[in-house]
Amino acid sequence: MSDQKITQVRGRAIPMPGDDIDTDRITPARFLTALTWKGIEKALFCDERENTPDHPIDNPNYKGAKILFVGKNFGSGSSREHAPQAIKRFGIDAIVGVSFAEIFAGNSLAIGMPLMTASAEEIQKLIAHTQKNSETEYTADLETLTLSWGDESLSVGMLEERRQSFLKGTWNILAILRANLPQVREVAEGLPYMREFQD
Amino acid sequence: MSERTLYDKIWDSHIVAQLESGQYQLFIGLHLIHEVTTPQAFASMKETGSKMAFPERTVATADHITPTLTKLRPFKDDLAESMMSALEQNVDEFGVRFLNWASGKQGIVHVIGPELGLSQPGMTIACGDSHTSTHGAVGSLGFGIGTTEVGFVLETQTIVLNRLKVHRINVNGELNKGVYAKDVILRIIHDLGIKGGLGNAYEYAGKVIDEMGMEGRMTVCNMSIEGGARIGYVNPDQTTFDYLEGREFTPKGEAFERAKDYWKSVASDADAEYDQVTDIEGGSIEPMVTWGINPGQSVGISENLPDPKSFEGEDIKTAERGYEFMALKPGDKIAGTKIDVAFLGSCTNSRISDLREGARVMKGNKVNPRVRMLVVPGSQQVQAQAEEEGLHEIFREAGAEWGNAGCSMCLGMNPDKLVGAERSISSSNRNFIGRQGSPRGRTHLGSPATVAASAIEGCLTNPADVVGD
Ligand code: SF4
């Protein structure tokens, strides 16, 4: 599975200030009716984009960006995978933020989108810097756990096991789970309710 | 060996393997699916020609997009229709039990799981919906999962998880009259915060929880996720066993006795160790309503709205944003805030006891002429029971709409939606911006009794002011 390794994401960034951005804002519930992920990127922040003339997602300066800068508790709320899918399919390959909601983080891992953390002050600086210098190219490096641009760089955090999944290309875990099916059957046989309490 | 919690016991007995990442592969005893988070998972299985590992451990129903005021097919909304037919095709093709309208057992997944006895103590339960924590009320571990993980369960009957810490929350003493399970969980989230449960399972205990009925426990566990805890549970006890006995999928006769032995064995040991313990005095809880844009922004119904400066750090900003969006002012009374819509339903509060409570308040009263009230039972079985008791007549005579089972106005995915900047009092679980289907719609969360009382008065109202107890 070496082709699935993710060691680095490079590109410009979109600053998305604010804490507690929940999945209802990222992909409003009415888009949950999509049957495949195709086109889900159109739902990205669509309600607030309608009411916000220079929403970062629409700002031409950030077009083609690969990295998203966010605040604290990003992706809270409903478990919908539509949120990370929409972000990824919009073209974002990594998110750097203060913190992430758990289910959102799990869903992001499963689709191969690394999440990195930095302090609130650092994120604030990054957001301010990008707002002024949208052309800045960032490199988010999973091996060195750094985010660098120009001559500057800062250390970022990441759950070690998730980092390893990206580095080793094991984030696509379905194959690994499948390989364990014999053990799965063994565990199932040992559970009283799987035997319908027959013995 | 140190004494263990229910979480430890169920977790340990369901581990398949520890993965290289350090995470665990866990066996899932019951997989509940619905029309929204499954099409992609089935679609990719078809692409790869995969089979389900344990098709008999998956049960399907339809709730999220299902209209509640009509049973006509095809649905008016083309996407909803295509989602529904996708589910119908998939359950057919993969041989999954489907509790549809015709079965008489359709309903919100988190209502029908316990109601049919599918959800049992000592099980791991997964569903592509974050409120799967509800099933913890019967003493199981309920995991809300994403669509990718739904695919994992379909193909391998397992998911991958980190072990959580266990935080025990004791609700001690007695609740005052007119205070309900919903008020208890809103108060817990108020006190511990919407991130208080991150990385934790909440074990609810104490006299109030011990004496609470199963449906109340479901309400409490349901909103664990709003407090940041992916899992919430109550240890199985006699209340649990009495509730489950005789239900369709509950073991019968001698098997029931053996089941009970297992169920008893999974309860937390008396001297189990917890990572954290919180005590809340039941008597200090009053009817709660949210005023802001997350479930932690709540007050007692008799209180005044808090000063944003009373919060810390970025919560100050969230409070300011909440006030702005909700068009409310710090210092004002929350009671008396005019509402346009009252919604009684959702997997938090749409069970028979919830409808009875709403009807008790509503009886002999009228819904304020300015207010649109929608009452939606959580399942066809709840609906049938309510209609047998004549509850629907009480609501209809009062001027409320009586819907068919489904998620309804809990989320904006079916025809029941807020319009424009309408303000609602809702018995559901989320007051996030846009949640009830209108980007400008404003949601206040409260108990079924508070919903009914507010519908009558046309403004947020303490139910005690209407029923006088
Ligand atoms: S009622 Fe609301 S929270 Fe519950 S399953 Fe339906 S949409 Fe989810």
Side-chain angles (χ1 to χ4, degrees):
Chain A
M1 276 198 277
S2 57
D3 56 327
Q4 311 233 3
K5 283 184 185 168
I6 298 171
T7 53
Q8 205 179 65
V9 175
R10 274 175 109 136
R12 286 175 300 111
I14 303 180
M16 187 69 66
D19 292 325
D20 301 312
I21 294 183
D22 60 62
T23 52
D24 275 291
R25 282 173 68 189
I26 301 171
T27 45
R30 61 179 182 283
F31 290 97
L32 297 186
T33 47
L35 285 186
T36 67
W37 298 125
K38 245 173 107 186
I40 188 71
E41 66 278 8
K42 291 193 202 90
L44 187 61
F45 289 108
C46 67
D47 280 347
E48 43 181 72
R49 282 159 75 183
E50 212 164 278
N51 305 320
T52 321
D54 52 350
H55 195 282
I57 293 293
D58 293 318
N59 189 326
N61 293 341
Y62 306 131
K63 212 167 175 242
K66 294 272 168 232
I67 299 174
L68 190 62
F69 292 147
V70 302
K72 197 168 178 178
N73 198 28
F74 185 80
S76 56
S78 123
S79 64
R80 69 191 63 155
E81 195 193 329
H82 303 63
Q85 282 283 3
I87 295 171
K88 182 107 208 276
R89 280 167 197 256
F90 183 78
I92 297 297
D93 287 332
I95 311 183
V96 186
V98 182
S99 65
F100 299 91
E102 241 161 49
I103 295 181
F104 179 86
N107 286 336
S108 299
L109 171 73
I111 63 171
M113 180 165 67
L115 308 182
M116 296 172 152
T117 56
S119 73
E121 294 76 54
E122 284 164 339
I123 293 287
Q124 223 161 33
K125 271 190 224 150
L126 283 169
I127 286 180
H129 176 86
T130 316
Q131 283 168 337
K132 279 193 222 100
N133 314 282
S134 60
E135 71 296 340
T136 305
E137 289 263 343
Y138 296 89
T139 302
D141 194 308
L142 282 78
E143 263 160 333
T144 57
L145 275 180
T146 53
L147 180 77
S148 52
W149 65 100
D151 302 332
E152 300 191 61
S153 97
L154 71 91
S155 330
V156 290
M158 208 174 171
L159 258 180
E160 181 55 21
E161 63 219 33
R162 294 206 172 127
R163 185 174 85 104
Q164 291 301 335
S165 307
F166 290 118
L167 291 179
K168 293 184 188 148
T170 54
W171 55 269
N172 187 357
I173 39 184
L174 182 55
I176 298 166
L177 302 188
R178 262 202 223 114
N180 287 342
L181 266 172
Q183 290 101 295
V184 175
R185 297 198 188 280
E186 235 169 77
V187 169
E189 276 159 31
L191 290 164
Y193 64 82
M194 291 296 290
R195 299 191 301 264
E196 305 297 336
F197 304 101
Q198 286 313 309
D199 53 15
Chain B
M1 187 160 173
S2 76
E3 302 304 321
R4 298 185 301 161
T5 61
L6 173 142
Y7 179 84
D8 298 327
K9 294 181 192 182
I10 301 181
W11 177 271
D12 291 346
S13 63
H14 287 73
I15 292 176
V16 171
Q18 187 169 20
L19 304 182
E20 219 184 70
S21 62
Q23 291 182 298
Y24 291 88
Q25 181 178 8
L26 215 65
F27 179 75
I28 294 301
L30 172 68
H31 185 207
L32 297 167
I33 63 173
H34 57 85
E35 73 278 30
V36 175
T37 47
T38 47
Q40 292 99 344
F42 279 117
S44 65
M45 280 178 79
K46 286 185 207 169
E47 256 170 54
T48 53
S50 313
K51 288 204 171 52
M52 285 175 70
F54 293 78
E56 72 286 359
R57 302 306 300 182
T58 293
V59 177
T61 192
D63 51 9
H64 283 63
I65 53 150
T66 312
T68 61
L69 298 177
T70 157
K71 284 204 172 178
L72 284 182
R73 286 288 296 274
F75 298 147
K76 267 204 194 120
D77 177 350
D78 287 345
L79 269 169
E81 176 58 31
S82 60
M83 201 162 252
M84 188 66 178
S85 11
L87 180 65
E88 286 163 340
Q89 271 171 26
N90 289 328
V91 294
D92 232 35
E93 190 173 333
F94 288 89
V96 170
R97 187 193 301 270
F98 182 30
L99 303 173
N100 59 8
W101 273 340
S103 72
K105 294 163 198 162
Q106 170 265 338
I108 306 174
V109 276
H110 311 312
V111 174
I112 68 168
E115 170 180 272
L116 296 170
L118 286 163
S119 316
Q120 297 169 14
M123 268 185 185
T124 46
I125 300 176
C127 174
D129 183 281
S130 42
H131 291 91
T132 312
S133 57
T134 313
H135 306 263
V138 302
S140 66
L141 301 185
F143 300 94
I145 57 179
T147 297
T148 310
E149 293 165 298
V150 170
F152 294 170
V153 183
L154 291 177
E155 283 199 46
T156 70
Q157 202 64 27
T158 61
I159 51 175
V160 176
L161 294 162
N162 289 307
R163 198 178 181 119
L164 299 172
K165 292 183 175 152
V166 183
H167 182 164
R168 177 162 161 133
I169 300 170
N170 295 313
V171 187
N172 302 316
E174 306 265 354
L175 293 182
N176 291 315
K177 239 184 156 190
V179 176
Y180 301 89
K182 181 61 159 287
D183 303 311
V184 171
I185 186 63
L186 282 174
R187 170 65 184 275
I188 291 172
I189 299 167
H190 172 274
D191 287 9
L192 300 178
I194 55 170
K195 295 161 210 162
L198 288 180
N200 284 285
Y202 279 164
E203 175 176 308
Y204 302 102
K207 187 153 173 272
V208 167
I209 303 291
D210 290 345
E211 290 174 358
M212 196 177 266
M214 281 309 290
E215 301 194 345
R217 293 177 184 181
M218 289 176 211
T219 302
V220 171
C221 291
N222 175 271
M223 289 188 70
S224 303
I225 187 76
E226 271 65 50
R230 190 169 183 183
I231 287 212
Y233 68 85
V234 176
N235 284 306
D237 59 7
Q238 196 55 44
T239 304
T240 320
F241 311 144
D242 292 345
Y243 173 89
L244 285 172
E245 190 164 7
R247 294 192 182 257
E248 183 168 350
F249 293 92
T250 305
K252 307 273 164 355
E254 272 182 48
F256 181 73
E257 294 307 314
R258 281 193 294 270
K260 232 163 54 178
D261 289 341
Y262 170 62
W263 298 348
K264 281 181 189 158
S265 77
V266 298
S268 294
D269 296 323
D271 39 9
E273 276 181 33
Y274 296 90
D275 298 283
Q276 204 177 337
V277 178
T278 297
D279 287 277
I280 294 179
E281 189 45 46
S284 73
I285 304 174
E286 69 162 324
M288 300 286 290
V289 277
T290 62
W291 54 265
I293 50 173
N294 73 47
Q297 293 176 324
S298 62
V299 283
I301 187 84
S302 69
E303 290 177 328
N304 294 348
L305 293 170
D307 186 341
K309 289 189 213 87
S310 66
F311 297 97
E312 279 169 27
E314 70 278 3
D315 287 350
I316 300 175
K317 265 209 204 126
T318 317
E320 282 165 353
R321 201 175 138 73
Y323 278 119
E324 194 194 323
F325 185 79
M326 296 296 286
L328 295 170
K329 281 203 310 293
D332 283 0
K333 276 199 148 343
I334 187 72
T337 306
K338 283 211 166 58
I339 54 153
D340 309 297
V341 174
F343 171 56
L344 174 42
S346 92
C347 59
T348 318
N349 282 122
S350 63
R351 298 177 184 83
I352 191 68
S353 56
D354 301 312
L355 301 185
R356 283 183 190 142
E357 230 11 81
R360 190 177 77 94
V361 175
M362 198 45 86
K363 195 164 184 164
N365 289 303
K366 289 267 181 257
V367 174
N368 186 293
R370 272 192 305 102
V371 173
R372 173 162 66 109
M373 184 180 193
L374 188 55
V375 184
V376 180
S379 72
Q380 287 182 306
Q381 293 202 346
V382 170
Q383 181 173 11
Q385 174 72 29
E387 290 180 358
E388 202 184 303
E389 295 176 19
L391 304 183
H392 65 311
E393 297 296 352
I394 296 176
F395 288 118
R396 276 191 183 142
E397 268 161 33
E401 286 170 66
W402 175 253
N404 296 316
C407 295
S408 185
M409 211 187 264
C410 174
L411 88 175
M413 279 190 68
N414 56 66
D416 306 335
K417 289 183 173 80
L418 292 183
V419 181
E422 274 181 339
R423 183 185 294 274
S424 80
I425 173 76
S426 175
S427 68
S428 55
N429 45 47
R430 287 189 167 157
N431 53 342
F432 300 145
I433 293 174
R435 173 69 179 185
Q436 290 191 290
S438 163
R440 289 188 298 138
R442 297 169 178 142
T443 302
H444 295 274
L445 303 176
S447 76
T450 302
V451 169
S454 305
I456 294 164
E457 299 298 332
C459 60
L460 298 180
T461 300
N462 185 341
D465 296 344
V466 175
V467 286
D469 61 15

